[in-house]
Amino acid sequence: MSALMEAVRSGRTAEVIGLLDELTDAERRAAFPELKALRKELRAAPWDAASRRAYPPLYAAGVACQTGAAAVAAWIAAADMRWSGTSAALLLRLLGDRSPEWLADLTHRLAQRPAASRVPYELMSGLVRLSGCSVPTTDAYVRGWMGHVGWAWQRGGTLLDRMRPDPHLGELVAALFAMNDIGGLLEWPRGDGPDSWTGALSGLAAEGLVERGVMVDACVARLLRGGTTSEQRFFLRLLKGLDLTRDEERQRTADWLALACDAVSPVASHAQSVLSALVLDGELSSRRLAEMSSAVLFRTEKKLVRAQLVLLGKVLAKDAGTAGELLPVVARAFGHEDSDVQERALKLVERHLKKADSDGMRGEIAAEVEQLIPGLRVRAVRLLGTTTASADPAPYEEVLPPVPVPTRLEPAPVSAAEVAEEVGAAMESEPGVAGFERALDGLVRHAYHDRQALVEALGPVFARRWWYDAESGLRYASRFGRSDFAVADAEDGLDLLLAALLEKVDLETPRAFVQHGSTARACGHSALARAFAGRLWEVAYRLRTDPLPFLLSTPTWSTGLLEPDELVDRLDEYRRLGARVSAADFAQALLRVRRADRPAAGRAAERAAALGTKEGARLADWLGAPGDAQPATRRRISGSRILLECDELPELRGDFPEEFRYLGRPVGVFTDRWYCHHWNDDARPHWLAVLPERRELVAVRLLRDLSALAVDDDRGAAVLPQLAESGGAAGEAVHLGLAYGLGARHAEDRLAAVDALLTLAARGQLDPARLGADLGQLLRRGAVKPLRLAESARTAAATGADATVWEMLRHTLPLLLAEFATGGAGASARGLGELLAVGAECAERCGARGEIPHLAQTADRRGSSRIVAQARRLRSALTWEMAA
C-alpha cells in the first residue's frame, strides 16, 4: 500500500495534503484508481468510525488527482462525498494551480448542478474569484449566495450590509427575480427592516447599487409570471417598498389590468387599488375600466368584486356619460354566486339606469337578468319592463347519482401461476375486498391441491417480501406474533399465509391464536380487528396441519355479501369431500350470508337442513332467524363530541368462536380504550366486509375516528362512501359519522362525505331530518364549523341534489337560528350567513315552501349583516310565488 493510500485510510488529512503537494501530475493520475477502488469499498461498508475517518482525505485526494473538469465536478458533487466535512478553502488550495480556463469550466459545471447537490457556495464563489470568469446565475449558485448572505449572522451587520460589498451584486439580484420556488429563502431573515430581503433590496435600489427601474420592472414581471402565494406576497411587499410614483404606475397600466384579472388575491387587490386611483383621477378611460371590470366581476373573491362595484358606482356618480358603457358591465355581476353581490349590482343599475336609458342597453341588461335569484329577478323585471323566460318555470327534478352496484367476484384462479400473479398484485397495492378475497381463496385452494407447485409459482413474490431471505427463508420470524396487530390489513394477512406456506412460522404461534385468541390490548376497534385476523390465523394454522379445500366465507359480491345458495353448495361439497370445517371460516360465512332477502334465505335454509350436517343445521337456524336485530344505543357527550354507546347483541355472543363474540359485546365511550394501533385506513373496507349487512355495528366503532375529522383535523373519511354502499340499516351511527365527515377539516374528506351523502340519498336510505338535527347539535357544540358544512352542502347541491340538501338544512338551521335569535354569538354564529345562503340557493332552485322556526325573527332584525340579509333571502324564497 502506498504512503498516500495508507494516510487516506487512516484519516490523516494534513498528511495527505502534504503528500499530494510532492506528487507530479502523472503520479497523481496514477494514484486515482486506488482512490476510486477505496470509494467503492466505502460505499458498501457500514457507516462506522473507519469510514467517517477516511472520507475527508479521500474527498481531497480525489479532487487533486483528477485532471478533467467534468470528473472533478462529479467527484465534488457526489452524494456519498457530501458529508465529508472538507472545507471549501482546502479544495481551493488544491485547485489553485490549475489554469484560469480550467477553473472557469469547473465553476460553471458545479453551478449547473442541482441545488440538491449542495455544492458549497464558498467553493463556487472562490473559483469565480480565482478564474476571473463571469459569475454563474444558475439556481444552485444564486440559492447558495442567498443562503450565504442571509444566514451569515455570525459576520455581523444587516443583510443589506452583507450584500453591499459583493462585486457581482447586480447580476445576482437580477437572477433572484428569475428563480422558482424561493419563498422559503425569502422569508428569512424575517422582518421589514434592512435585515430582511424586502428591506435590503429596497435599500440597494435607494442607494443606487441596483438600478431602481430595472428592479421595478423585474418585480412586476415576476408578479405577472405567477408562483406560490408566499413568493407573490414577497414580491408584492417589495414592489410596495419601492414606492412607485404616479408616472411609474401610469406607465404600467396594462400590467395592472392583467394582474387585477388573473393574479392571486393580494396582488390583484393591489393592482385594483392602483387602477382605482388612476380611474378616479381621470387617467384611465371608461373603456379600459369596462375591460377591467368585465374580468374582475367574474372572480370568486367577494372582496375584489365588491370593491370593483364600489369603484363603478363612484365613476357613474361622477360622470353620467359613462353609464351607457358601464351599466351592461355591471349587469354581468348578476351571475355571481353571492347574492349580496347580485343585489349590489342591481342597486347600481336601478340608481343609474335613467342616465343612459335606451332599448339597446336595456336589452343587454335584460340578457343577464335570468341569472339573478328569484327575489332580485322580480325587481329587475319591474325595473326593465320586460318578461323573463322563467315566468313559467319547468318543474324541479332532483338529480342523484346512479345507485352503486356491487360487482360479483370472479371465480378463483385456476392455475398456480395465476394465483401468484393475483397475490403479487395484491401485495403491491391495496387490493380491496374483492382482490384480497380472490387471492386468499386462490392460495387456500392451490395449497390443498398442489402445495409444491404453488410454492414454486410464488417464488418471485417471496423474493420481493421484506421479511424473506433466499438463504434462510425468513429474516424476521418474530414479525408474525400472536396478535391482531400482526395481521392488521390485507397485506399483513397475505404475508402471514405466504410465510405459513413456507413453514417458516412456528406452528405454535397460529395454534395459540386459534386456541386462546389475540394477545393485543382491547380497544374500540378490536372486535372488528379480531374477527378479521382470527379467520386468517386459523387458515394459516390449517395450511400447516390440515389444508382446507377452499374457503366457505369467500364473498359473492365486492361488498362482502355471500349468497345463501352458494354457501349451501360449498357446505355440500365439504360434506362430499369429508373435509373438516374451519370454525372461524364458517363463522365469517354466517356473518356474510345474505338474510335480507327473506324468501331466498328461506329456500336456502331448507336445503341446508337437508344436508344432515352440524354446519348445515346451524346455517338453517341462522337463515331462519330475523336478520335485522340491532343493539340499543344511547348518546354520550365527550367534550365537543357526540358519540354513541350500544348494548350487547346476544345473537353474536352465542355459538361463535371467541374472536367473533367480541362483535356482540357492548361498546362504551368511556369504558373502552380508543388509543390503539389500528390507524391503517386500508383495513376499514375489510372490517365492513366482516359485517356486510350490519354497517351500524361497524359505524359505532368508527365513530370516534370519524369525529376526529372535524374536531381534531385528522384524515380518513374514505370509509364513509364504503359505509354508504354497505348493507343493513343506515341508522344513528352512520348518520352521525356522516355529519362529522361533512364538517371535516380537509377538502378531500368533505368530498368523500358528500359522496356518501349522495349515495345514501340515491339508495333511499338517507334520513335528512336525522342528519340535519345531528349537524345542528354538532354546530352548536363547536364540533363542526359552519363554513366547512356550508362548503360541503354547496358541493352536494351543485350535483343537482338541491331538495336533498335543503331537507337536511331545514332541520339544521332552526337550532342555529334559535341561538342567534336569543343573542347567541358563539362559534355557530360565525358562518351562519353562509349556511343560510346555501339554504336559500337550494330553496330557490327546488321550489321549497314553508316556514322555518326563528327565521322570521332573524330576517326582521335591523341592519344588513350577512346573516340578516341571507335570512331575508331565504324567507323570500320560501314564501315567494312567481307572478303568472
Side-chain angles (χ1 to χ4, degrees), residues 141-163:
Y141 194 92
V142 177
R143 285 179 182 273
W145 169 71
M146 292 177 67
H148 177 73
V149 297
W151 288 83
W153 54 269
Q154 67 273 22
R155 302 202 327 247
T158 64
L159 177 59
L160 178 58
D161 296 333
R162 295 191 292 271
M163 293 173 70

Side-chain angles (χ1 to χ4, degrees), residues 14 135 142 167 219 222 232 331 462 519 527 530 678 694 711 744 747 755 799 846 854:
V135 64
V142 177
C219 212
R222 184 55 187 259
Q232 293 284 282
F462 292 135
T519 59
R530 283 173 184 264
H678 298 117
R694 295 175 181 268
V711 178
D755 186 13
T799 67
C846 71
H854 310 290

Side-chain angles (χ1 to χ4, degrees), residues 180 220-228 231-232 235 259 263-264:
N180 293 319
V220 173
R222 184 55 187 259
L223 293 174
L224 287 168
R225 194 177 79 186
T228 64
E231 290 173 352
Q232 293 284 282
F235 288 110
L259 292 172
V264 296

